[in-house]
Amino acid sequence: MAGNLANLQKATTARTAGALARAETALNAMLKDGEPITFRGLAARAGVSLDFLYRNTPIRARVEHLRDRQRTEAAPRAQPEPGAGQPGNVIRALTVQLAEARRRHREETTALRQALEAAHGENLLLRRSIGSHAGPGNPA
């Protein structure tokens, strides 16, 4: 049973590494080609799921950073700067604050989800351990 678990873990690690490599390669190609950086576009180009991109913290952070950079580079050319104290500045400041709050929320949610998954794994291992020690003369 332990050998099978080790093989499954190796296969999972290899599959994740392959998907990560495809995502990185596709992201670099999108940058080179000047394509807009989006999660959907990257998922389609790399042949990975949206869920994989959102759950992989380094890739997610890189996509968000590049996407935000593309938006900021395109925004000044699209519209002139309104004067100080104008509604456009207030909206822009609030939009930046909202984006930062959303980013923090995603990071915290991801950290909590990972902690919960680890706790579930530990719980399962403990249950299996207790179950293997229980026997006819040693009830659980």
Side-chain angles (χ1 to χ4, degrees):
M1 176 116 162
N4 191 25
L5 180 59
N7 288 337
L8 289 173
Q9 288 172 335
K10 283 182 192 176
T12 300
T13 302
R15 188 172 53 247
T16 301
L20 188 57
R22 287 193 315 274
E24 287 287 348
T25 301
L27 192 54
N28 291 334
M30 290 172 79
L31 285 170
K32 182 181 171 212
D33 296 342
E35 292 181 34
I37 305 299
T38 63
F39 283 100
R40 288 191 186 280
L42 179 58
R45 188 155 183 171
V48 298
S49 69
L50 281 172
D51 185 56
F52 172 80
L53 295 176
Y54 282 119
R55 286 181 183 253
N56 188 293
T57 308
I59 281 284
R60 181 180 185 152
R62 186 163 179 228
V63 168
E64 288 171 347
H65 170 73
L66 292 170
R67 182 182 60 189
D68 292 343
R69 189 175 81 186
Q70 279 183 340
R71 286 181 184 163
T72 11
E73 289 172 356
R77 285 181 251 127
Q79 55 183 323
E81 276 295 310
Q86 299 240 343
N89 285 343
V90 173
I91 292 170
R92 192 174 357 273
L94 291 174
T95 301
V96 168
Q97 288 177 0
L98 180 60
E100 177 62 20
R102 285 180 174 164
R103 183 193 60 77
R104 279 194 321 268
H105 178 262
R106 280 191 302 269
E107 288 175 356
E108 291 168 0
T109 302
T110 299
L112 288 172
R113 186 173 288 122
Q114 289 171 345
L116 180 62
E117 289 171 359
H120 280 305
E122 290 173 12
N123 190 13
L124 180 63
L125 290 174
L126 287 172
R127 284 182 181 191
R128 287 180 179 166
S129 172
I130 290 171
S132 67
H133 293 294
N138 189 13

